[in-house]
């Protein structure tokens, strides 16, 4: 069985995507706090939910990037 190696460049790229999804989750949390006029302590107390939503955003981005990669590979085949 062949070992799979993940390069440092790929790890940095995925870390940036995950950090971006965490940032989006926090922004959505801030928007929800301001719209519902609740206590700002929810920014920290709801961090577990923010992380779960961020992970879902990350998985959606992985699926979207994978789909785009497959479509590009399908339509740009060399003859």
């Amino acid at each position: 069985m062949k070992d799979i190696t993940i390069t440092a460049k790929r790890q940095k790229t995925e870390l940036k995507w995950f950090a971006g999804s965490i940032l989006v989750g926090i922004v959505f949390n801030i928007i929800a706090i301001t719209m519902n006029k609740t206590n700002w302590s929810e920014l920290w107390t709801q961090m577990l939910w923010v992380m779960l939503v961020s992970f879902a955003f990350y998985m959606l981005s992985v699926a979207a990037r994978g789909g785009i990669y497959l479509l590009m590979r399908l339509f740009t085949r060399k003859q």
Side-chain angles (χ1 to χ4, degrees):
M1 180 180 254
K2 185 178 176 185
D3 289 337
I4 298 174
T5 58
I6 301 173
T7 63
K9 182 180 178 184
R10 174 49 86 191
Q11 289 176 359
K12 288 178 185 177
T13 302
E14 294 303 319
L15 187 60
K16 288 177 185 176
W17 277 98
F18 189 62
S21 66
I22 289 173
L23 186 64
V24 168
I26 291 172
V27 167
F28 279 167
N29 193 18
I30 290 172
I31 291 170
I33 289 170
T34 56
M35 287 179 65
N36 295 319
K37 297 177 183 163
T38 59
N39 196 354
W40 280 96
S41 66
E42 287 192 21
L43 189 62
W44 305 112
T45 59
Q46 299 298 320
M47 193 53 69
L48 176 64
W49 291 107
V50 169
M51 293 304 289
L52 289 172
V53 169
S54 298
F55 184 72
F57 284 151
Y58 177 71
M59 285 294 115
L60 285 173
S61 76
V62 167
R65 290 184 289 147
I68 290 169
Y69 171 77
L70 289 175
L71 286 174
M72 287 178 59
R73 187 171 170 121
L74 180 68
F75 290 118
T76 59
R77 286 207 176 244
K78 291 185 180 180
Q79 297 174 353

